[in-house]
Amino acid sequence: MPLLFALDAHHGQALADRLRLSLAEWRERVYEDGERKLSACAPVAGQICLVVESLYAEAGRSTDAKLLRLAFFIAGLKAAGAARVILVAPYLCYSRKDRRGEDGDPIPSRHVAELLEALGVDRLLTVDVHNVSALENAFRIPVRNVGTDALFATRIAALTGSQEVTVVSPDIGGIKRSEAFRRELALHTGTEPGRAIMEKLRLDAGLSGELLMGDPVEGRVVVLIDDLINTGSTLARAASACRRDGAAQIIACASHGLFVPPSAEVLLPQIDRLFVCDSIPPFRLAGSALLERVEVLGTAELLVAGLAGWVE
């Protein structure tokens, strides 16, 4: 049986429950100058080690700090003789930074891959990265990305029933994602949802574009689908256009909810219901009225399925 180390207690416990494993103990020592040492409490030589950590910034710990802490722990497992280290990262930091914006820029997604590989990660499992091809190109080790379409489609189908639905991509870059979700939703509802796309232009002055293209939204339930909510401006613009064109209800689905300010303020007037995965707890919405409209869907079953063949 593999050893399961949870640097991320929430995801680790949920995964352990479904794999019927006990969490392996580990220890962390923080020195007076802020440096730290992490290590397993039991022998790991010859063992398959699962390490769970969702790499988002949170209060008191930046993304970079979590990444370095994780890297040191994995390096320690390999130094102690672990046969294989499998990293389960429901949210993988820097995965959106997969190309150069201008000459001389780094490509952070590639450099994160180089760091993790160099320190001993043998397999990587993550949830709904921004660009699967870029993820696979960045890593030389086996990687698996589990999608969330079925998770959202199950919930949306139960919620909308026989109502007419139009699936809307909030920008042209999300067409492939929204179409895959639309097909999944059709399987769950037995009907053919409409499709539409919101125009989005990036200018020096900010986002622009007002054109909503595709099937009607008037009188329908609109489902906006995206991989991530950051400041919420992209979703809010698309939702506003759908309201202008007569949408009866607007539901948004995003795998990862960062909810960086001012997302609560810009989304509250536009979104009736909002579904996100538990890859990032919506802690930044604490005290906001938007939190009452948010439902968090668990990813543990997806992660267990993604580990198939790796932990036997």
Side-chain angles (χ1 to χ4, degrees):
M1 297 294 287
L3 299 173
L4 176 55
F5 295 95
L7 302 193
D8 177 339
H10 167 71
H11 292 97
Q13 188 61 62
L15 197 56
D17 291 343
R18 284 158 180 79
L19 290 172
R20 298 182 180 178
L21 296 173
S22 297
L23 291 176
E25 294 185 9
W26 56 279
R27 55 183 171 262
E28 180 174 15
R29 179 178 177 183
V30 181
Y31 295 94
E32 293 82 357
D33 60 357
E35 294 179 357
R36 62 190 65 231
K37 179 177 74 172
L38 295 84
S39 58
C41 293
V44 300
Q47 299 291 317
I48 295 174
C49 296
L50 292 170
V51 181
V52 184
E53 175 72 297
S54 201
L55 291 166
Y56 58 88
E58 56 187 313
R61 186 165 288 161
S62 69
T63 298
D64 298 340
K66 291 178 78 169
L67 179 61
L68 189 60
R69 178 172 173 262
L70 169 68
F72 285 167
F73 183 68
I74 289 170
L77 294 178
K78 296 297 281 192
R84 182 187 303 167
V85 174
I86 301 170
L87 172 59
V88 180
Y91 179 71
L92 182 62
C93 61
Y94 292 109
S95 60
R96 291 177 291 159
K97 312 297 185 183
D98 57 13
R99 66 192 69 187
R100 288 191 176 91
E102 52 188 70
D103 289 345
D105 281 354
I107 305 177
S109 63
R110 180 187 297 172
H111 305 320
V112 167
E114 291 168 338
L115 172 65
L116 294 175
E117 288 172 348
L119 292 175
V121 174
D122 297 292
R123 303 281 190 276
L124 169 68
L125 176 65
T126 189
V127 175
D128 203 8
V129 294
H130 184 68
N131 186 326
V132 177
S133 295
L135 174 77
E136 293 172 344
N137 288 334
F139 283 87
R140 293 168 294 176
I141 60 172
V143 297
R144 288 179 182 169
N145 174 72
V146 293
T148 56
D149 287 347
L151 193 66
F152 288 129
T154 300
R155 190 67 186 91
I156 296 297
L159 184 65
T160 57
S162 60
Q163 298 177 80
E164 290 188 303
V165 175
T166 297
V167 175
V168 177
S169 174
D171 56 31
I172 292 175
I175 292 175
K176 186 176 181 180
R177 181 185 303 276
S178 66
E179 181 58 21
F181 173 75
R182 193 187 71 83
R183 291 195 299 267
E184 185 70 33
L185 184 59
L187 293 175
H188 283 72
T189 61
T191 62
E192 193 72 14
R195 57 166 71 87
I197 307 157
M198 182 66 196
E199 177 187 34
K200 185 174 83 170
L201 305 173
R202 290 190 181 274
L203 305 175
D204 290 341
L207 298 181
S208 181
E210 301 296 329
L211 183 62
L212 183 64
M213 303 165 280
D215 293 327
V217 299
E218 185 175 3
R220 295 186 171 203
V221 177
V222 162
V223 179
L224 289 162
I225 188 78
D226 211 344
D227 63 315
L228 182 143
I229 298 173
N230 192 31
T231 63
S233 57
T234 296
L235 275 180
R237 288 181 61 260
S240 178
C242 292
R243 286 201 182 278
R244 178 199 66 202
D245 287 5
Q249 184 182 13
I250 297 178
I251 302 171
C253 299
S255 299
H256 311 293
L258 286 169
F259 294 116
V260 174
S263 58
E265 289 74 19
V266 301
L267 292 172
L268 184 62
Q270 307 297 346
I271 304 295
D272 298 307
R273 299 194 68 158
L274 177 54
F275 295 96
V276 294
C277 293
D278 65 351
S279 57
I280 305 173
F283 61 92
R284 292 190 180 94
L285 295 182
S288 165
L290 182 65
L291 186 58
E292 299 175 4
R293 304 180 191 179
V294 173
E295 184 174 332
V296 180
L297 306 182
T299 56
E301 294 292 346
L302 296 177
L303 296 172
V304 169
L307 287 169
W310 280 3
V311 294
E312 286 80 13

